[in-house]
Short mmCIF file of all heavy atoms in Angstrom, two decimals:
data_model
loop_
_atom_site.label_atom_id
_atom_site.label_comp_id
_atom_site.label_asym_id
_atom_site.label_seq_id
_atom_site.Cartn_x
_atom_site.Cartn_y
_atom_site.Cartn_z
N PHE A 670 -35.97 91.36 -37.54
CA PHE A 670 -35.05 92.38 -37.02
C PHE A 670 -35.81 93.64 -36.61
O PHE A 670 -35.56 94.23 -35.57
CB PHE A 670 -34.03 92.76 -38.11
CG PHE A 670 -32.92 91.78 -38.27
CD1 PHE A 670 -32.57 91.32 -39.52
CD2 PHE A 670 -32.20 91.35 -37.17
CE1 PHE A 670 -31.54 90.41 -39.68
CE2 PHE A 670 -31.16 90.46 -37.32
CZ PHE A 670 -30.84 89.99 -38.59
N THR A 671 -36.71 94.04 -37.50
CA THR A 671 -37.42 95.29 -37.28
C THR A 671 -38.21 95.26 -35.98
O THR A 671 -38.07 96.14 -35.13
CB THR A 671 -38.40 95.54 -38.45
OG1 THR A 671 -37.65 95.53 -39.65
CG2 THR A 671 -39.08 96.88 -38.28
N LEU A 672 -39.01 94.22 -35.82
CA LEU A 672 -39.85 94.16 -34.62
C LEU A 672 -39.01 94.08 -33.36
O LEU A 672 -39.40 94.58 -32.31
CB LEU A 672 -40.80 92.96 -34.70
CG LEU A 672 -41.91 93.12 -35.73
CD1 LEU A 672 -42.80 91.89 -35.74
CD2 LEU A 672 -42.74 94.36 -35.40
N ALA A 673 -37.84 93.44 -33.47
CA ALA A 673 -37.02 93.29 -32.27
C ALA A 673 -36.30 94.58 -31.92
O ALA A 673 -35.91 94.77 -30.78
CB ALA A 673 -36.02 92.16 -32.45
N SER A 674 -36.09 95.47 -32.91
CA SER A 674 -35.31 96.65 -32.57
C SER A 674 -36.13 97.92 -32.52
O SER A 674 -35.64 98.96 -32.08
CB SER A 674 -34.15 96.81 -33.56
OG SER A 674 -34.63 96.78 -34.87
N VAL A 675 -37.39 97.85 -32.96
CA VAL A 675 -38.18 99.08 -33.02
C VAL A 675 -38.37 99.66 -31.61
O VAL A 675 -38.38 100.87 -31.42
CB VAL A 675 -39.53 98.83 -33.74
CG1 VAL A 675 -40.46 98.03 -32.90
CG2 VAL A 675 -40.16 100.14 -34.12
N GLY A 676 -38.49 98.77 -30.62
CA GLY A 676 -38.71 99.26 -29.26
C GLY A 676 -37.59 100.16 -28.78
O GLY A 676 -37.84 101.19 -28.15
N GLY A 677 -36.37 99.77 -29.11
CA GLY A 677 -35.22 100.58 -28.71
C GLY A 677 -35.29 101.98 -29.32
O GLY A 677 -35.08 102.97 -28.63
N TRP A 678 -35.66 102.03 -30.60
CA TRP A 678 -35.75 103.34 -31.26
C TRP A 678 -36.87 104.17 -30.66
O TRP A 678 -36.72 105.38 -30.47
CB TRP A 678 -35.99 103.18 -32.76
CG TRP A 678 -34.85 102.57 -33.51
CD1 TRP A 678 -34.87 101.43 -34.26
CD2 TRP A 678 -33.50 103.05 -33.59
NE1 TRP A 678 -33.64 101.17 -34.79
CE2 TRP A 678 -32.78 102.15 -34.40
CE3 TRP A 678 -32.83 104.15 -33.05
CZ2 TRP A 678 -31.44 102.32 -34.69
CZ3 TRP A 678 -31.49 104.32 -33.34
CH2 TRP A 678 -30.82 103.40 -34.16
N ILE A 679 -38.00 103.51 -30.39
CA ILE A 679 -39.13 104.26 -29.80
C ILE A 679 -38.68 104.91 -28.50
O ILE A 679 -38.87 106.11 -28.28
CB ILE A 679 -40.33 103.32 -29.53
CG1 ILE A 679 -40.94 102.86 -30.84
CG2 ILE A 679 -41.37 104.03 -28.68
CD1 ILE A 679 -42.12 101.93 -30.67
N LEU A 680 -38.06 104.11 -27.65
CA LEU A 680 -37.67 104.64 -26.34
C LEU A 680 -36.66 105.77 -26.49
O LEU A 680 -36.79 106.82 -25.86
CB LEU A 680 -37.09 103.53 -25.47
CG LEU A 680 -38.10 102.52 -24.96
CD1 LEU A 680 -37.46 101.60 -23.94
CD2 LEU A 680 -39.29 103.23 -24.33
N ALA A 681 -35.67 105.55 -27.38
CA ALA A 681 -34.63 106.58 -27.54
C ALA A 681 -35.25 107.86 -28.06
O ALA A 681 -34.97 108.96 -27.57
CB ALA A 681 -33.57 106.08 -28.51
N MET A 682 -36.15 107.73 -29.05
CA MET A 682 -36.75 108.92 -29.64
C MET A 682 -37.67 109.61 -28.65
O MET A 682 -37.69 110.83 -28.55
CB MET A 682 -37.54 108.51 -30.90
CG MET A 682 -38.06 109.68 -31.68
SD MET A 682 -36.70 110.68 -32.32
CE MET A 682 -37.59 112.04 -33.00
N ARG A 683 -38.43 108.82 -27.89
CA ARG A 683 -39.36 109.44 -26.96
C ARG A 683 -38.59 110.19 -25.88
O ARG A 683 -38.94 111.31 -25.52
CB ARG A 683 -40.28 108.40 -26.33
CG ARG A 683 -41.38 109.07 -25.52
CD ARG A 683 -42.41 108.10 -25.06
NE ARG A 683 -41.82 107.04 -24.26
CZ ARG A 683 -42.50 106.04 -23.74
NH1 ARG A 683 -43.79 105.96 -23.93
NH2 ARG A 683 -41.91 105.13 -23.03
N ALA A 684 -37.50 109.54 -25.40
CA ALA A 684 -36.71 110.21 -24.37
C ALA A 684 -36.14 111.52 -24.90
O ALA A 684 -36.22 112.57 -24.24
CB ALA A 684 -35.59 109.29 -23.91
N ALA A 685 -35.60 111.45 -26.13
CA ALA A 685 -35.01 112.66 -26.71
C ALA A 685 -36.08 113.73 -26.89
O ALA A 685 -35.86 114.91 -26.60
CB ALA A 685 -34.36 112.33 -28.05
N ALA A 686 -37.26 113.32 -27.35
CA ALA A 686 -38.32 114.29 -27.61
C ALA A 686 -38.81 114.91 -26.31
O ALA A 686 -39.05 116.11 -26.23
CB ALA A 686 -39.47 113.61 -28.34
N LEU A 687 -38.95 114.09 -25.27
CA LEU A 687 -39.40 114.63 -23.99
C LEU A 687 -38.38 115.62 -23.45
O LEU A 687 -38.74 116.66 -22.90
CB LEU A 687 -39.62 113.50 -22.98
CG LEU A 687 -40.87 112.66 -23.23
CD1 LEU A 687 -40.96 111.51 -22.23
CD2 LEU A 687 -42.11 113.53 -23.14
N GLN A 688 -37.11 115.29 -23.65
CA GLN A 688 -36.04 116.19 -23.22
C GLN A 688 -36.21 117.54 -23.92
O GLN A 688 -36.19 118.60 -23.29
CB GLN A 688 -34.69 115.54 -23.58
CG GLN A 688 -33.49 116.43 -23.40
CD GLN A 688 -33.21 116.66 -21.93
OE1 GLN A 688 -33.47 115.80 -21.11
NE2 GLN A 688 -32.74 117.85 -21.60
N VAL A 689 -36.40 117.45 -25.26
CA VAL A 689 -36.54 118.68 -26.03
C VAL A 689 -37.77 119.46 -25.57
O VAL A 689 -37.74 120.68 -25.41
CB VAL A 689 -36.63 118.36 -27.53
CG1 VAL A 689 -37.01 119.61 -28.31
CG2 VAL A 689 -35.31 117.82 -28.03
N LEU A 690 -38.88 118.74 -25.34
CA LEU A 690 -40.12 119.41 -24.95
C LEU A 690 -39.97 120.16 -23.64
O LEU A 690 -40.69 121.12 -23.38
CB LEU A 690 -41.25 118.38 -24.83
CG LEU A 690 -41.86 117.92 -26.15
CD1 LEU A 690 -42.89 116.83 -25.91
CD2 LEU A 690 -42.52 119.10 -26.86
N SER A 691 -39.04 119.72 -22.80
CA SER A 691 -38.88 120.39 -21.52
C SER A 691 -37.93 121.58 -21.63
O SER A 691 -37.74 122.30 -20.67
CB SER A 691 -38.35 119.40 -20.49
OG SER A 691 -37.00 119.11 -20.77
N GLU A 692 -37.34 121.77 -22.81
CA GLU A 692 -36.39 122.87 -22.95
C GLU A 692 -37.13 124.20 -23.01
O GLU A 692 -38.30 124.27 -23.39
CB GLU A 692 -35.58 122.70 -24.25
CG GLU A 692 -34.74 121.46 -24.31
CD GLU A 692 -33.44 121.60 -23.55
OE1 GLU A 692 -33.10 122.72 -23.15
OE2 GLU A 692 -32.78 120.55 -23.34
N ASP A 693 -36.38 125.23 -22.70
CA ASP A 693 -36.98 126.56 -22.64
C ASP A 693 -37.51 127.03 -23.99
O ASP A 693 -38.56 127.63 -24.08
CB ASP A 693 -35.95 127.58 -22.13
CG ASP A 693 -35.62 127.31 -20.68
OD1 ASP A 693 -36.42 126.61 -20.03
OD2 ASP A 693 -34.57 127.79 -20.21
N TYR A 694 -36.74 126.73 -25.05
CA TYR A 694 -37.14 127.33 -26.33
C TYR A 694 -38.49 126.82 -26.81
O TYR A 694 -39.18 127.50 -27.56
CB TYR A 694 -36.06 127.16 -27.40
CG TYR A 694 -35.57 125.77 -27.64
CD1 TYR A 694 -36.27 124.90 -28.46
CD2 TYR A 694 -34.37 125.33 -27.08
CE1 TYR A 694 -35.80 123.62 -28.69
CE2 TYR A 694 -33.90 124.06 -27.32
CZ TYR A 694 -34.61 123.21 -28.13
OH TYR A 694 -34.16 121.95 -28.37
N ILE A 695 -38.86 125.61 -26.37
CA ILE A 695 -40.20 125.13 -26.73
C ILE A 695 -41.25 125.97 -26.01
O ILE A 695 -42.25 126.40 -26.60
CB ILE A 695 -40.36 123.65 -26.33
CG1 ILE A 695 -39.41 122.78 -27.16
CG2 ILE A 695 -41.79 123.21 -26.50
CD1 ILE A 695 -39.94 122.42 -28.51
N GLN A 696 -40.98 126.23 -24.74
CA GLN A 696 -41.91 127.06 -23.98
C GLN A 696 -42.02 128.45 -24.62
O GLN A 696 -43.13 128.98 -24.78
CB GLN A 696 -41.44 127.21 -22.52
CG GLN A 696 -41.04 125.92 -21.84
CD GLN A 696 -42.16 124.91 -21.81
OE1 GLN A 696 -43.33 125.28 -21.83
NE2 GLN A 696 -41.82 123.63 -21.80
N VAL A 697 -40.85 128.94 -25.00
CA VAL A 697 -40.84 130.26 -25.63
C VAL A 697 -41.66 130.24 -26.91
O VAL A 697 -42.49 131.12 -27.16
CB VAL A 697 -39.39 130.71 -25.92
CG1 VAL A 697 -39.39 131.99 -26.76
CG2 VAL A 697 -38.64 130.93 -24.62
N ALA A 698 -41.42 129.21 -27.71
CA ALA A 698 -42.13 129.10 -28.98
C ALA A 698 -43.64 129.03 -28.73
O ALA A 698 -44.43 129.66 -29.43
CB ALA A 698 -41.66 127.86 -29.73
N ARG A 699 -44.03 128.26 -27.72
CA ARG A 699 -45.46 128.16 -27.41
C ARG A 699 -45.99 129.51 -26.96
O ARG A 699 -47.07 129.94 -27.36
CB ARG A 699 -45.68 127.14 -26.28
CG ARG A 699 -45.51 125.73 -26.76
CD ARG A 699 -46.45 124.78 -26.05
NE ARG A 699 -46.40 123.50 -26.70
CZ ARG A 699 -46.05 122.39 -26.09
NH1 ARG A 699 -45.74 122.41 -24.80
NH2 ARG A 699 -46.02 121.26 -26.75
N ALA A 700 -45.17 130.15 -26.13
CA ALA A 700 -45.61 131.44 -25.61
C ALA A 700 -45.77 132.43 -26.74
O ALA A 700 -46.67 133.28 -26.72
CB ALA A 700 -44.59 131.94 -24.60
#
Side-chain angles (χ1 to χ4, degrees):
Chain A
F670 281 131
T671 304
L672 288 180
S674 53
V675 72
W678 293 122
I679 290 180
L680 288 189
M682 187 63 186
R683 189 171 57 181
L687 287 176
Q688 171 71 32
V689 170
L690 281 176
S691 72
E692 298 280 348
D693 292 342
Y694 53 82
I695 294 277
Q696 312 302 333
V697 172
R699 286 214 171 121

